[in-house]
Amino acid sequence: MQHFTHQLELFPDCSVTLVLFNDVKNAVALRKKAMEGSIDGALINPAMIVDPFQILVATNKAVHLHRIGKMKTRTLNAEIIFNLSPNNNISDALKKFGISDNDSAVIIVLIEDKEKTVNLEGIISQVEGQQVSLAELNKITDIAKVKKMYKLTPQEEKIGTLLDGIICRMSTKDIA
Amino acid sequence: MAGGGGEAGACAVFDPPLQGLQLVQQGAEARLYRGQFLGRAAVVKLRFPKRYRHPALEERLSRRRTAQEARSLLRCRRAGISAPVVYFVDYISNCIYLEDIIGSTTVRDYITSVLQSGKDTSNLFLLAEKIGEVLARMHDEDLIHGDLTTSNMLLRPPVEELDLVLIDFGLSFISGLPEDKGVDLYVLEKAFLSTHPNTDTLFEALLKKYSTTSKKSSPVIKKLDEVRLRGRKRSMVG
């Protein structure tokens, strides 16, 4: 099935893979595994994602900060989730953009570089759910929740897409 | 000279930088590159180190301008003023990765080509009004551009639609003072009239629309008149 991989232009040794799952039954266990580190990936709530680009922007920034030792959180995976948030409150970001115990869908973000290879099959086998193509994301996204989170102004909606507003906030939140 | 280790992940300071990026323009302040970023067409603005500056000043200035630019771009968008989306800011090498407005034309080039072609100029008056309107909204947000020229205004294709996008906010700042807004307009006036000779009526139309659009325009126009009296080769006698 289709997963989505992109090689980061700024970090050519690094590639990002996104996998979307629906009908997930073991969100509780997955969360635990992610926190323990037995799944080395960022588990994201797909309802808050409007486009894979959103995750790529968060990941690019996370990798950049990781490599210069300036992350705000303690792990690369937490940093990816944190970067999705329009504000600088870490625990709020992890709660809103990470997965919750009763979530039935999840996006797993996997990073592969010189030091780390990704065992995609291994990760997929641990999820009790259906892997689906990222094209299905638009059925899972909760637009109302996203709009509420990112607080786009009415004027902003006239000059660009929801995604534009989201990306702007993500990329400028540290100096806004 | 920046070594290899510290550059990992940072925007390269030497030419050519990251693969796939091509140099589009070299300005006094920054270099502009075009290329793909995370699967999208992007423009990268790199504020390269100026060797003539004292290093401490250099670092602070470049960083401040980069941050100001990013901040102002967000502020513009929140107010409904069209400006490029910011994709990523690298504070180590002072690079901004922005949305590439594909196929855009600068207002400067558009005005020049219409005037040269001798065709109907009524669209130019509409354009002038559009600019006046956008600047009024910008100033009502207390956002001062700082470097208003017709090269810092883009038109999305097709140009006739006059879909205006403001760019280059490196010298921007926040201010409610009519003086600052007046100076902002003065800078544009000087740039406009010198780049496009004999366009006084066009600029007048711009200012007129600005006045009617902005709620706080009259002290600004008053200041503009005062500033005009100050300029180069101007006598400030009584």
Side-chain angles (χ1 to χ4, degrees), chain B residues 46-64:
Chain B
L46 164 63
R47 278 184 170 80
F48 51 88
K50 316 288 178 308
R51 301 289 170 207
Y52 56 77
R53 282 187 194 144
H54 188 286
L57 176 62
E58 166 59 42
E59 224 224 274
R60 287 199 195 168
L61 206 48
S62 284
R63 184 171 209 269
R64 178 179 303 181

Side-chain angles (χ1 to χ4, degrees), chain A residues 32-51:
Chain A
K32 199 150 170 269
K33 290 190 191 195
M35 287 205 275
E36 291 167 352
S38 48
I39 290 184
D40 187 6
L43 271 52
I44 294 177
N45 178 1
M48 300 302 291
I49 306 298
V50 309
D51 189 290

